Amino acid sequence: MKVLMHRHRVLCERAVDPLEIAAGLEAHGVTDRAAVRFRHRDVFSLAEELYARVPREAGPRPEPAPAPRVRADWVLLTLLPGAVCAAVVTGVRLTEGRPRLLVAVAGVLAVALAVRPALRRGPLAPARALAWRTATGARVWTCWLLAYALFGNGLLRTVADGGPDGLPTGAAYGPWPVTVAPVLALTLACAPAAWSAHLLTAAARRRLAGSRGLEEFTAAVQPLLLGVFVLFLSALTALLALCGAALGEPAGCPEALALGALLLLARLLTVHHVTQGPAQALAAAAAAEAAAMALVLAGRLPGCAFLAVPVDALVDAWGAGSVPAVVCGVAALALLIRATRTLTRASAHAPTGDPE
């Protein structure tokens, strides 16, 4: 016990309550089974003894961090990307020629600026200490995936048919079709994504306060995580149907749902201090989409037609949207498995001190 106290003295001295020590011990690999060696039934009981035995500085003991509350500022910020994107889509639909191009370019910048504060405040914001490590790579690959959702399916179908013969016109049924409905739905889904993250964090911290063992906490949080995930996908499905009907375009549900699931899980893992995995999954999905396009183009070279056979077969059987659906679906499944292992741990929900 003395060795354990010495090894984790800083953690114990700075802890607000035993729950923070329990989360820290778990993050360092101390499990309920390891706690038995110290004659305790679980890590929570061991944390209580460490909290009682390690002295802290004199003065009033701070209160445990409360569960995050709903705040008007982050609610409004998560609604902003969808509102800006809807305005941009309307402007593109009402213009032609060079004005349409200018509106589209300005609109992309406006949407990017609207998404930035939504991901920096509230439930979708990572801890400040982690933000600089994960932001750049994740942003690049996310932009690629969204650009592919907008242009990729039409380009892949056109390339498979021997094109393209010109630049996209912004129409859903032009020579290079552009699918706006999935991207609009994904920007509108920033709001349900934030609510899903808020529900997960708030409920997990309540479970943490009432749990008496790590296994008990994991068993309580696993269905909560899956429920929040399904809730977000249900909201995204409704938004896809609404946007598809409003714009008169195919909703692109399978590929948009797979991309939405991938982006949500990557953000949840980043928010809860998991730095390894989200950016890599996004990069792998982006690379696979680029590889599919490259294989179709390489199949045009003399003697290289066999390179395009797998992609052509997939496109002929299920359509161009099957490529991002499979790619993003596999990446999302990998992140979901990782999330069920990491986001159900007490250490993932320890308060960071950052504002919600």
Side-chain angles (χ1 to χ4, degrees), residues 38-272:
F38 298 98
R39 299 181 181 180
H40 285 272
R41 65 182 181 277
D42 52 44
V43 173
F44 282 74
S45 176
L46 176 60
E48 288 177 347
E49 180 176 350
L50 290 174
Y51 184 79
R53 293 180 61 174
V54 175
R56 274 164 295 282
E57 296 180 0
R61 189 172 71 183
E63 293 294 328
R69 296 177 299 174
V70 177
R71 293 176 49 175
D73 58 347
W74 67 254
V75 172
L76 294 176
L77 287 175
T78 56
L79 294 173
L80 186 59
V84 173
C85 189
V88 172
V89 172
T90 302
V92 170
R93 290 293 180 96
L94 294 177
T95 53
E96 296 288 345
R98 185 179 295 273
R100 170 179 285 185
L101 178 60
L102 295 176
V103 170
V105 172
V108 170
L109 296 176
V111 172
L113 292 175
V115 170
R116 185 180 179 89
L119 299 182
R120 288 195 161 198
R121 296 290 299 275
L124 297 178
R128 294 188 182 95
L130 302 177
W132 68 273
R133 273 186 264 169
T134 58
T136 303
R139 273 191 212 131
V140 171
W141 305 124
T142 299
C143 290
W144 167 272
L145 293 170
L146 290 174
Y148 190 95
L150 188 63
F151 300 106
N153 290 342
L155 178 59
L156 182 61
R157 191 181 301 112
T158 302
V159 169
D161 293 338
D165 298 322
L167 295 175
T169 61
Y173 300 99
W176 180 348
V178 176
T179 51
V180 178
V183 177
L184 176 59
L186 287 169
T187 57
L188 290 169
C190 283
W195 279 101
S196 299
H198 170 76
L199 290 175
L200 176 63
T201 301
R205 288 188 185 175
R206 286 195 294 268
R207 298 288 195 281
L208 181 60
S211 298
R212 300 306 307 165
L214 296 179
E215 293 181 0
E216 177 187 343
F217 177 77
T218 298
V221 174
Q222 276 184 344
L224 173 65
L225 172 63
L226 296 177
V228 164
F229 181 64
V230 172
L231 181 64
F232 170 77
L233 292 183
S234 300
L236 180 56
T237 301
L239 290 172
L240 285 167
L242 180 63
C243 293
L247 298 175
E249 295 182 6
C253 280
E255 58 266 33
L257 284 174
L259 176 56
L262 175 60
L263 295 177
L264 175 72
L265 291 169
R267 198 65 189 179
L268 286 178
L269 287 167
T270 301
V271 167
H272 291 88

